[in-house]
PDB file of all heavy atoms in Angstrom:
ATOM      1  N   ARG S  19      64.037 106.571  68.797  1.00 90.00           N
ATOM      2  CA  ARG S  19      64.122 107.357  70.026  1.00 90.00           C
ATOM      3  C   ARG S  19      64.016 106.486  71.266  1.00 90.00           C
ATOM      4  O   ARG S  19      63.123 105.667  71.407  1.00 90.00           O
ATOM      5  CB  ARG S  19      63.011 108.398  70.064  1.00 90.00           C
ATOM      6  CG  ARG S  19      63.141 109.334  71.258  1.00 90.00           C
ATOM      7  CD  ARG S  19      62.116 110.411  71.206  1.00 90.00           C
ATOM      8  NE  ARG S  19      60.887 109.892  71.778  1.00 90.00           N
ATOM      9  CZ  ARG S  19      59.769 110.579  71.866  1.00 90.00           C
ATOM     10  NH1 ARG S  19      59.700 111.799  71.387  1.00 90.00           N
ATOM     11  NH2 ARG S  19      58.702 110.057  72.410  1.00 90.00           N
ATOM     12  N   CYS S  20      64.965 106.663  72.161  1.00 90.00           N
ATOM     13  CA  CYS S  20      64.948 105.974  73.445  1.00 90.00           C
ATOM     14  C   CYS S  20      63.899 106.658  74.323  1.00 90.00           C
ATOM     15  O   CYS S  20      63.850 107.877  74.417  1.00 90.00           O
ATOM     16  CB  CYS S  20      66.324 106.059  74.103  1.00 90.00           C
ATOM     17  SG  CYS S  20      66.386 105.320  75.733  1.00 90.00           S
ATOM     18  N   ASN S  21      63.046 105.863  74.981  1.00 89.00           N
ATOM     19  CA  ASN S  21      61.987 106.402  75.823  1.00 89.00           C
ATOM     20  C   ASN S  21      62.198 106.126  77.298  1.00 89.00           C
ATOM     21  O   ASN S  21      61.319 106.397  78.104  1.00 89.00           O
ATOM     22  CB  ASN S  21      60.636 105.833  75.394  1.00 89.00           C
ATOM     23  CG  ASN S  21      60.232 106.313  74.030  1.00 89.00           C
ATOM     24  OD1 ASN S  21      60.368 107.477  73.718  1.00 89.00           O
ATOM     25  ND2 ASN S  21      59.754 105.402  73.204  1.00 89.00           N
ATOM     26  N   LEU S  22      63.349 105.564  77.659  1.00 94.00           N
ATOM     27  CA  LEU S  22      63.593 105.245  79.060  1.00 94.00           C
ATOM     28  C   LEU S  22      65.017 105.626  79.444  1.00 94.00           C
ATOM     29  O   LEU S  22      65.982 105.202  78.807  1.00 94.00           O
ATOM     30  CB  LEU S  22      63.363 103.761  79.343  1.00 94.00           C
ATOM     31  CG  LEU S  22      63.568 103.306  80.773  1.00 94.00           C
ATOM     32  CD1 LEU S  22      62.654 104.060  81.736  1.00 94.00           C
ATOM     33  CD2 LEU S  22      63.313 101.819  80.903  1.00 94.00           C
ATOM     34  N   TYR S  23      65.106 106.433  80.494  1.00 94.00           N
ATOM     35  CA  TYR S  23      66.384 106.894  81.018  1.00 94.00           C
ATOM     36  C   TYR S  23      66.372 106.637  82.513  1.00 94.00           C
ATOM     37  O   TYR S  23      65.357 106.835  83.176  1.00 94.00           O
ATOM     38  CB  TYR S  23      66.572 108.400  80.757  1.00 94.00           C
ATOM     39  CG  TYR S  23      66.415 108.721  79.294  1.00 94.00           C
ATOM     40  CD1 TYR S  23      65.162 108.978  78.749  1.00 94.00           C
ATOM     41  CD2 TYR S  23      67.518 108.723  78.452  1.00 94.00           C
ATOM     42  CE1 TYR S  23      65.010 109.233  77.403  1.00 94.00           C
ATOM     43  CE2 TYR S  23      67.373 108.979  77.101  1.00 94.00           C
ATOM     44  CZ  TYR S  23      66.120 109.232  76.581  1.00 94.00           C
ATOM     45  OH  TYR S  23      65.974 109.484  75.251  1.00 94.00           O
ATOM     46  N   ILE S  24      67.481 106.190  83.028  1.00 95.00           N
ATOM     47  CA  ILE S  24      67.610 105.979  84.466  1.00 95.00           C
ATOM     48  C   ILE S  24      68.791 106.823  84.919  1.00 95.00           C
ATOM     49  O   ILE S  24      69.923 106.599  84.489  1.00 95.00           O
ATOM     50  CB  ILE S  24      67.796 104.494  84.799  1.00 95.00           C
ATOM     51  CG1 ILE S  24      66.578 103.717  84.308  1.00 95.00           C
ATOM     52  CG2 ILE S  24      68.024 104.311  86.299  1.00 95.00           C
ATOM     53  CD1 ILE S  24      66.637 102.235  84.488  1.00 95.00           C
ATOM     54  N   VAL S  25      68.490 107.828  85.741  1.00 94.00           N
ATOM     55  CA  VAL S  25      69.520 108.735  86.244  1.00 94.00           C
ATOM     56  C   VAL S  25      69.627 108.526  87.743  1.00 94.00           C
ATOM     57  O   VAL S  25      68.672 108.791  88.484  1.00 94.00           O
ATOM     58  CB  VAL S  25      69.185 110.206  85.929  1.00 94.00           C
ATOM     59  CG1 VAL S  25      70.272 111.124  86.458  1.00 94.00           C
ATOM     60  CG2 VAL S  25      69.000 110.408  84.424  1.00 94.00           C
ATOM     61  N   ASP S  26      70.761 107.992  88.179  1.00 95.00           N
ATOM     62  CA  ASP S  26      70.991 107.687  89.599  1.00 95.00           C
ATOM     63  C   ASP S  26      69.838 106.878  90.196  1.00 95.00           C
ATOM     64  O   ASP S  26      69.346 107.152  91.283  1.00 95.00           O
ATOM     65  CB  ASP S  26      71.228 108.966  90.402  1.00 95.00           C
ATOM     66  CG  ASP S  26      72.541 109.629  90.040  1.00 95.00           C
ATOM     67  OD1 ASP S  26      73.489 108.915  89.646  1.00 95.00           O
ATOM     68  OD2 ASP S  26      72.637 110.863  90.150  1.00 95.00           O
ATOM     69  N   GLY S  27      69.361 105.898  89.420  1.00 94.00           N
ATOM     70  CA  GLY S  27      68.330 104.979  89.896  1.00 94.00           C
ATOM     71  C   GLY S  27      66.904 105.453  89.713  1.00 94.00           C
ATOM     72  O   GLY S  27      65.969 104.734  90.039  1.00 94.00           O
ATOM     73  N   VAL S  28      66.693 106.652  89.166  1.00 93.00           N
ATOM     74  CA  VAL S  28      65.352 107.200  88.971  1.00 93.00           C
ATOM     75  C   VAL S  28      64.959 107.094  87.502  1.00 93.00           C
ATOM     76  O   VAL S  28      65.674 107.573  86.623  1.00 93.00           O
ATOM     77  CB  VAL S  28      65.296 108.685  89.425  1.00 93.00           C
ATOM     78  CG1 VAL S  28      63.917 109.272  89.186  1.00 93.00           C
ATOM     79  CG2 VAL S  28      65.687 108.809  90.887  1.00 93.00           C
ATOM     80  N   ARG S  29      63.805 106.449  87.239  1.00 93.00           N
ATOM     81  CA  ARG S  29      63.292 106.300  85.869  1.00 93.00           C
ATOM     82  C   ARG S  29      62.767 107.633  85.359  1.00 93.00           C
ATOM     83  O   ARG S  29      62.078 108.351  86.068  1.00 93.00           O
ATOM     84  CB  ARG S  29      62.165 105.280  85.827  1.00 93.00           C
ATOM     85  CG  ARG S  29      62.597 103.866  86.101  1.00 93.00           C
ATOM     86  CD  ARG S  29      61.387 102.956  86.178  1.00 93.00           C
ATOM     87  NE  ARG S  29      60.664 102.895  84.929  1.00 93.00           N
ATOM     88  CZ  ARG S  29      60.732 101.890  84.051  1.00 93.00           C
ATOM     89  NH1 ARG S  29      61.483 100.849  84.305  1.00 93.00           N
ATOM     90  NH2 ARG S  29      60.040 101.928  82.935  1.00 93.00           N
ATOM     91  N   MET S  30      63.081 107.936  84.088  1.00 92.00           N
ATOM     92  CA  MET S  30      62.623 109.172  83.457  1.00 92.00           C
ATOM     93  C   MET S  30      62.245 108.884  82.013  1.00 92.00           C
ATOM     94  O   MET S  30      62.783 107.974  81.400  1.00 92.00           O
ATOM     95  CB  MET S  30      63.722 110.223  83.490  1.00 92.00           C
ATOM     96  CG  MET S  30      64.200 110.520  84.873  1.00 92.00           C
ATOM     97  SD  MET S  30      65.367 111.855  84.873  1.00 92.00           S
ATOM     98  CE  MET S  30      65.451 112.143  86.622  1.00 92.00           C
ATOM     99  N   ASP S  31      61.329 109.698  81.488  1.00 90.00           N
ATOM    100  CA  ASP S  31      60.909 109.546  80.096  1.00 90.00           C
ATOM    101  C   ASP S  31      61.817 110.281  79.122  1.00 90.00           C
ATOM    102  O   ASP S  31      61.861 109.957  77.945  1.00 90.00           O
ATOM    103  CB  ASP S  31      59.478 110.059  79.918  1.00 90.00           C
ATOM    104  CG  ASP S  31      58.474 109.224  80.696  1.00 90.00           C
ATOM    105  OD1 ASP S  31      58.702 108.015  80.880  1.00 90.00           O
ATOM    106  OD2 ASP S  31      57.450 109.789  81.125  1.00 90.00           O
ATOM    107  N   ASN S  32      62.517 111.306  79.602  1.00 89.00           N
ATOM    108  CA  ASN S  32      63.467 112.042  78.761  1.00 89.00           C
ATOM    109  C   ASN S  32      64.461 112.764  79.671  1.00 89.00           C
ATOM    110  O   ASN S  32      64.343 112.706  80.889  1.00 89.00           O
ATOM    111  CB  ASN S  32      62.764 113.012  77.812  1.00 89.00           C
ATOM    112  CG  ASN S  32      61.998 114.083  78.537  1.00 89.00           C
ATOM    113  OD1 ASN S  32      62.557 114.842  79.330  1.00 89.00           O
ATOM    114  ND2 ASN S  32      60.702 114.160  78.284  1.00 89.00           N
ATOM    115  N   LEU S  33      65.410 113.437  79.072  1.00 89.00           N
ATOM    116  CA  LEU S  33      66.454 114.102  79.848  1.00 89.00           C
ATOM    117  C   LEU S  33      66.301 115.616  79.877  1.00 89.00           C
ATOM    118  O   LEU S  33      67.124 116.315  80.460  1.00 89.00           O
ATOM    119  CB  LEU S  33      67.832 113.747  79.277  1.00 89.00           C
ATOM    120  CG  LEU S  33      68.214 112.279  79.370  1.00 89.00           C
ATOM    121  CD1 LEU S  33      69.521 112.027  78.631  1.00 89.00           C
ATOM    122  CD2 LEU S  33      68.309 111.835  80.808  1.00 89.00           C
ATOM    123  N   SER S  34      65.227 116.143  79.287  1.00 86.00           N
ATOM    124  CA  SER S  34      65.084 117.597  79.195  1.00 86.00           C
ATOM    125  C   SER S  34      64.872 118.258  80.554  1.00 86.00           C
ATOM    126  O   SER S  34      65.210 119.417  80.737  1.00 86.00           O
ATOM    127  CB  SER S  34      63.948 117.969  78.240  1.00 86.00           C
ATOM    128  OG  SER S  34      62.721 117.466  78.716  1.00 86.00           O
ATOM    129  N   SER S  35      64.322 117.532  81.520  1.00 82.00           N
ATOM    130  CA  SER S  35      64.065 118.133  82.832  1.00 82.00           C
ATOM    131  C   SER S  35      65.191 117.883  83.840  1.00 82.00           C
ATOM    132  O   SER S  35      65.107 118.298  84.986  1.00 82.00           O
ATOM    133  CB  SER S  35      62.754 117.597  83.406  1.00 82.00           C
ATOM    134  OG  SER S  35      62.862 116.203  83.604  1.00 82.00           O
ATOM    135  N   VAL S  36      66.255 117.225  83.387  1.00 85.00           N
ATOM    136  CA  VAL S  36      67.365 116.887  84.278  1.00 85.00           C
ATOM    137  C   VAL S  36      68.507 117.868  84.049  1.00 85.00           C
ATOM    138  O   VAL S  36      68.909 118.115  82.921  1.00 85.00           O
ATOM    139  CB  VAL S  36      67.873 115.455  84.008  1.00 85.00           C
ATOM    140  CG1 VAL S  36      69.013 115.105  84.923  1.00 85.00           C
ATOM    141  CG2 VAL S  36      66.746 114.455  84.148  1.00 85.00           C
ATOM    142  N   ASP S  37      69.002 118.439  85.131  1.00 85.00           N
ATOM    143  CA  ASP S  37      70.133 119.353  85.041  1.00 85.00           C
ATOM    144  C   ASP S  37      71.403 118.546  85.285  1.00 85.00           C
ATOM    145  O   ASP S  37      71.826 118.364  86.415  1.00 85.00           O
ATOM    146  CB  ASP S  37      69.996 120.474  86.069  1.00 85.00           C
ATOM    147  CG  ASP S  37      71.084 121.524  85.922  1.00 85.00           C
ATOM    148  OD1 ASP S  37      71.696 121.616  84.845  1.00 85.00           O
ATOM    149  OD2 ASP S  37      71.308 122.248  86.909  1.00 85.00           O
ATOM    150  N   LEU S  38      71.982 118.037  84.196  1.00 85.00           N
ATOM    151  CA  LEU S  38      73.175 117.197  84.295  1.00 85.00           C
ATOM    152  C   LEU S  38      74.419 117.999  83.962  1.00 85.00           C
ATOM    153  O   LEU S  38      74.547 118.522  82.859  1.00 85.00           O
ATOM    154  CB  LEU S  38      73.083 116.020  83.328  1.00 85.00           C
ATOM    155  CG  LEU S  38      72.101 114.924  83.669  1.00 85.00           C
ATOM    156  CD1 LEU S  38      72.023 113.926  82.525  1.00 85.00           C
ATOM    157  CD2 LEU S  38      72.510 114.224  84.946  1.00 85.00           C
ATOM    158  N   ASP S  39      75.319 118.091  84.911  1.00 88.00           N
ATOM    159  CA  ASP S  39      76.616 118.712  84.675  1.00 88.00           C
ATOM    160  C   ASP S  39      77.527 117.622  84.113  1.00 88.00           C
ATOM    161  O   ASP S  39      77.796 116.626  84.793  1.00 88.00           O
ATOM    162  CB  ASP S  39      77.171 119.251  85.989  1.00 88.00           C
ATOM    163  CG  ASP S  39      78.553 119.860  85.855  1.00 88.00           C
ATOM    164  OD1 ASP S  39      79.169 119.782  84.771  1.00 88.00           O
ATOM    165  OD2 ASP S  39      79.032 120.409  86.870  1.00 88.00           O
ATOM    166  N   PRO S  40      77.988 117.752  82.878  1.00 87.00           N
ATOM    167  CA  PRO S  40      78.842 116.727  82.284  1.00 87.00           C
ATOM    168  C   PRO S  40      80.051 116.363  83.149  1.00 87.00           C
ATOM    169  O   PRO S  40      80.523 115.233  83.115  1.00 87.00           O
ATOM    170  CB  PRO S  40      79.275 117.332  80.953  1.00 87.00           C
ATOM    171  CG  PRO S  40      78.239 118.346  80.647  1.00 87.00           C
ATOM    172  CD  PRO S  40      77.760 118.861  81.972  1.00 87.00           C
ATOM    173  N   ASN S  41      80.540 117.302  83.931  1.00 91.00           N
ATOM    174  CA  ASN S  41      81.691 117.040  84.790  1.00 91.00           C
ATOM    175  C   ASN S  41      81.335 116.171  85.984  1.00 91.00           C
ATOM    176  O   ASN S  41      82.213 115.657  86.661  1.00 91.00           O
ATOM    177  CB  ASN S  41      82.292 118.354  85.277  1.00 91.00           C
ATOM    178  CG  ASN S  41      82.854 119.170  84.146  1.00 91.00           C
ATOM    179  OD1 ASN S  41      83.528 118.649  83.274  1.00 91.00           O
ATOM    180  ND2 ASN S  41      82.547 120.450  84.140  1.00 91.00           N
ATOM    181  N   MET S  42      80.042 116.038  86.277  1.00 92.00           N
ATOM    182  CA  MET S  42      79.599 115.241  87.423  1.00 92.00           C
ATOM    183  C   MET S  42      79.108 113.843  87.024  1.00 92.00           C
ATOM    184  O   MET S  42      78.664 113.077  87.858  1.00 92.00           O
ATOM    185  CB  MET S  42      78.484 115.971  88.179  1.00 92.00           C
ATOM    186  CG  MET S  42      78.969 117.256  88.850  1.00 92.00           C
ATOM    187  SD  MET S  42      80.393 117.016  89.945  1.00 92.00           S
ATOM    188  CE  MET S  42      79.696 115.969  91.207  1.00 92.00           C
ATOM    189  N   ILE S  43      79.180 113.516  85.731  1.00 92.00           N
ATOM    190  CA  ILE S  43      78.756 112.197  85.271  1.00 92.00           C
ATOM    191  C   ILE S  43      79.917 111.222  85.425  1.00 92.00           C
ATOM    192  O   ILE S  43      81.010 111.456  84.923  1.00 92.00           O
ATOM    193  CB  ILE S  43      78.285 112.246  83.812  1.00 92.00           C
ATOM    194  CG1 ILE S  43      77.015 113.092  83.724  1.00 92.00           C
ATOM    195  CG2 ILE S  43      78.034 110.835  83.290  1.00 92.00           C
ATOM    196  CD1 ILE S  43      76.525 113.318  82.312  1.00 92.00           C
ATOM    197  N   ASP S  44      79.648 110.137  86.145  1.00 95.00           N
ATOM    198  CA  ASP S  44      80.654 109.102  86.365  1.00 95.00           C
ATOM    199  C   ASP S  44      80.618 108.073  85.236  1.00 95.00           C
ATOM    200  O   ASP S  44      81.647 107.692  84.701  1.00 95.00           O
ATOM    201  CB  ASP S  44      80.419 108.424  87.711  1.00 95.00           C
ATOM    202  CG  ASP S  44      81.438 107.356  88.028  1.00 95.00           C
ATOM    203  OD1 ASP S  44      82.644 107.591  87.790  1.00 95.00           O
ATOM    204  OD2 ASP S  44      81.039 106.278  88.515  1.00 95.00           O
ATOM    205  N   LYS S  45      79.396 107.648  84.863  1.00 94.00           N
ATOM    206  CA  LYS S  45      79.284 106.567  83.894  1.00 94.00           C
ATOM    207  C   LYS S  45      77.975 106.692  83.123  1.00 94.00           C
ATOM    208  O   LYS S  45      76.951 107.045  83.686  1.00 94.00           O
ATOM    209  CB  LYS S  45      79.341 105.237  84.636  1.00 94.00           C
ATOM    210  CG  LYS S  45      79.311 104.011  83.773  1.00 94.00           C
ATOM    211  CD  LYS S  45      79.721 102.778  84.544  1.00 94.00           C
ATOM    212  CE  LYS S  45      78.552 102.103  85.191  1.00 94.00           C
ATOM    213  NZ  LYS S  45      78.880 100.807  85.782  1.00 94.00           N
ATOM    214  N   VAL S  46      78.030 106.381  81.825  1.00 91.00           N
ATOM    215  CA  VAL S  46      76.845 106.306  80.988  1.00 91.00           C
ATOM    216  C   VAL S  46      76.846 104.935  80.333  1.00 91.00           C
ATOM    217  O   VAL S  46      77.820 104.547  79.694  1.00 91.00           O
ATOM    218  CB  VAL S  46      76.831 107.402  79.900  1.00 91.00           C
ATOM    219  CG1 VAL S  46      75.632 107.227  78.978  1.00 91.00           C
ATOM    220  CG2 VAL S  46      76.841 108.787  80.522  1.00 91.00           C
ATOM    221  N   GLU S  47      75.763 104.212  80.543  1.00 91.00           N
ATOM    222  CA  GLU S  47      75.606 102.903  79.910  1.00 91.00           C
ATOM    223  C   GLU S  47      74.464 102.989  78.921  1.00 91.00           C
ATOM    224  O   GLU S  47      73.422 103.573  79.222  1.00 91.00           O
ATOM    225  CB  GLU S  47      75.270 101.834  80.942  1.00 91.00           C
ATOM    226  CG  GLU S  47      76.381 101.533  81.914  1.00 91.00           C
ATOM    227  CD  GLU S  47      75.948 100.490  82.919  1.00 91.00           C
ATOM    228  OE1 GLU S  47      75.944  99.294  82.575  1.00 91.00           O
ATOM    229  OE2 GLU S  47      75.590 100.899  84.033  1.00 91.00           O
ATOM    230  N   VAL S  48      74.657 102.418  77.756  1.00 88.00           N
ATOM    231  CA  VAL S  48      73.630 102.362  76.735  1.00 88.00           C
ATOM    232  C   VAL S  48      73.319 100.900  76.490  1.00 88.00           C
ATOM    233  O   VAL S  48      74.199 100.138  76.099  1.00 88.00           O
ATOM    234  CB  VAL S  48      74.109 103.055  75.439  1.00 88.00           C
ATOM    235  CG1 VAL S  48      73.073 102.897  74.335  1.00 88.00           C
ATOM    236  CG2 VAL S  48      74.421 104.517  75.700  1.00 88.00           C
ATOM    237  N   ILE S  49      72.076 100.519  76.765  1.00 89.00           N
ATOM    238  CA  ILE S  49      71.658  99.131  76.548  1.00 89.00           C
ATOM    239  C   ILE S  49      70.679  99.136  75.383  1.00 89.00           C
ATOM    240  O   ILE S  49      69.595  99.700  75.482  1.00 89.00           O
ATOM    241  CB  ILE S  49      71.008  98.544  77.809  1.00 89.00           C
ATOM    242  CG1 ILE S  49      71.973  98.632  78.983  1.00 89.00           C
ATOM    243  CG2 ILE S  49      70.574  97.104  77.555  1.00 89.00           C
ATOM    244  CD1 ILE S  49      71.383  98.218  80.304  1.00 89.00           C
ATOM    245  N   LYS S  50      71.091  98.530  74.268  1.00 82.00           N
ATOM    246  CA  LYS S  50      70.284  98.573  73.061  1.00 82.00           C
ATOM    247  C   LYS S  50      69.762  97.203  72.653  1.00 82.00           C
ATOM    248  O   LYS S  50      69.013  97.104  71.711  1.00 82.00           O
ATOM    249  CB  LYS S  50      71.105  99.140  71.902  1.00 82.00           C
ATOM    250  CG  LYS S  50      71.600 100.541  72.138  1.00 82.00           C
ATOM    251  CD  LYS S  50      72.334 101.074  70.939  1.00 82.00           C
ATOM    252  CE  LYS S  50      73.760 100.589  70.934  1.00 82.00           C
ATOM    253  NZ  LYS S  50      74.569 101.165  69.867  1.00 82.00           N
ATOM    254  N   ASP S  51      70.143  96.158  73.358  1.00 82.00           N
ATOM    255  CA  ASP S  51      69.742  94.828  72.929  1.00 82.00           C
ATOM    256  C   ASP S  51      68.588  94.298  73.785  1.00 82.00           C
ATOM    257  O   ASP S  51      67.983  95.028  74.554  1.00 82.00           O
ATOM    258  CB  ASP S  51      70.937  93.873  72.961  1.00 82.00           C
ATOM    259  CG  ASP S  51      71.564  93.770  74.343  1.00 82.00           C
ATOM    260  OD1 ASP S  51      70.923  94.165  75.321  1.00 82.00           O
ATOM    261  OD2 ASP S  51      72.706  93.279  74.433  1.00 82.00           O
ATOM    262  N   GLY S  52      68.297  93.012  73.669  1.00 83.00           N
ATOM    263  CA  GLY S  52      67.186  92.399  74.382  1.00 83.00           C
ATOM    264  C   GLY S  52      67.277  92.468  75.897  1.00 83.00           C
ATOM    265  O   GLY S  52      66.263  92.376  76.580  1.00 83.00           O
ATOM    266  N   THR S  53      68.474  92.678  76.447  1.00 88.00           N
ATOM    267  CA  THR S  53      68.599  92.752  77.904  1.00 88.00           C
ATOM    268  C   THR S  53      67.935  94.002  78.461  1.00 88.00           C
ATOM    269  O   THR S  53      67.662  94.073  79.655  1.00 88.00           O
ATOM    270  CB  THR S  53      70.073  92.712  78.360  1.00 88.00           C
ATOM    271  OG1 THR S  53      70.778  93.809  77.777  1.00 88.00           O
ATOM    272  CG2 THR S  53      70.740  91.407  77.960  1.00 88.00           C
ATOM    273  N   ALA S  54      67.633  94.981  77.621  1.00 89.00           N
ATOM    274  CA  ALA S  54      66.951  96.194  78.082  1.00 89.00           C
ATOM    275  C   ALA S  54      65.555  95.882  78.600  1.00 89.00           C
ATOM    276  O   ALA S  54      64.996  96.625  79.400  1.00 89.00           O
ATOM    277  CB  ALA S  54      66.875  97.216  76.955  1.00 89.00           C
ATOM    278  N   SER S  55      64.991  94.754  78.193  1.00 89.00           N
ATOM    279  CA  SER S  55      63.626  94.395  78.603  1.00 89.00           C
ATOM    280  C   SER S  55      63.494  94.190  80.107  1.00 89.00           C
ATOM    281  O   SER S  55      62.390  94.257  80.637  1.00 89.00           O
ATOM    282  CB  SER S  55      63.151  93.158  77.856  1.00 89.00           C
ATOM    283  OG  SER S  55      63.930  92.027  78.233  1.00 89.00           O
ATOM    284  N   ILE S  56      64.591  93.979  80.825  1.00 91.00           N
ATOM    285  CA  ILE S  56      64.494  93.825  82.286  1.00 91.00           C
ATOM    286  C   ILE S  56      64.023  95.111  82.950  1.00 91.00           C
ATOM    287  O   ILE S  56      63.578  95.095  84.085  1.00 91.00           O
ATOM    288  CB  ILE S  56      65.824  93.364  82.922  1.00 91.00           C
ATOM    289  CG1 ILE S  56      66.914  94.424  82.756  1.00 91.00           C
ATOM    290  CG2 ILE S  56      66.262  92.026  82.376  1.00 91.00           C
ATOM    291  CD1 ILE S  56      68.160  94.163  83.574  1.00 91.00           C
ATOM    292  N   TYR S  57      64.067  96.231  82.199  1.00 89.00           N
ATOM    293  CA  TYR S  57      63.622  97.518  82.731  1.00 89.00           C
ATOM    294  C   TYR S  57      62.144  97.777  82.459  1.00 89.00           C
ATOM    295  O   TYR S  57      61.612  98.810  82.831  1.00 89.00           O
ATOM    296  CB  TYR S  57      64.488  98.656  82.187  1.00 89.00           C
ATOM    297  CG  TYR S  57      65.888  98.571  82.718  1.00 89.00           C
ATOM    298  CD1 TYR S  57      66.900  97.990  81.980  1.00 89.00           C
ATOM    299  CD2 TYR S  57      66.191  99.033  83.989  1.00 89.00           C
ATOM    300  CE1 TYR S  57      68.190  97.885  82.485  1.00 89.00           C
ATOM    301  CE2 TYR S  57      67.478  98.937  84.502  1.00 89.00           C
ATOM    302  CZ  TYR S  57      68.460  98.357  83.742  1.00 89.00           C
ATOM    303  OH  TYR S  57      69.732  98.247  84.248  1.00 89.00           O
TER     304      TYR S  57
END
Side-chain angles (χ1 to χ4, degrees):
R19 186 175 84 181
C20 177
N21 293 316
L22 181 58
Y23 305 87
I24 299 177
V25 180
D26 292 330
V28 178
R29 292 174 63 102
M30 303 185 169
D31 295 329
N32 62 58
L33 296 173
S34 62
S35 63
V36 180
D37 185 20
L38 288 173
D39 177 354
N41 295 316
M42 293 306 296
I43 294 175
D44 181 43
K45 183 165 90 172
V46 176
E47 293 179 79
V48 175
I49 303 174
K50 299 183 278 185
D51 58 17
T53 59
S55 66
I56 65 169
Y57 292 97

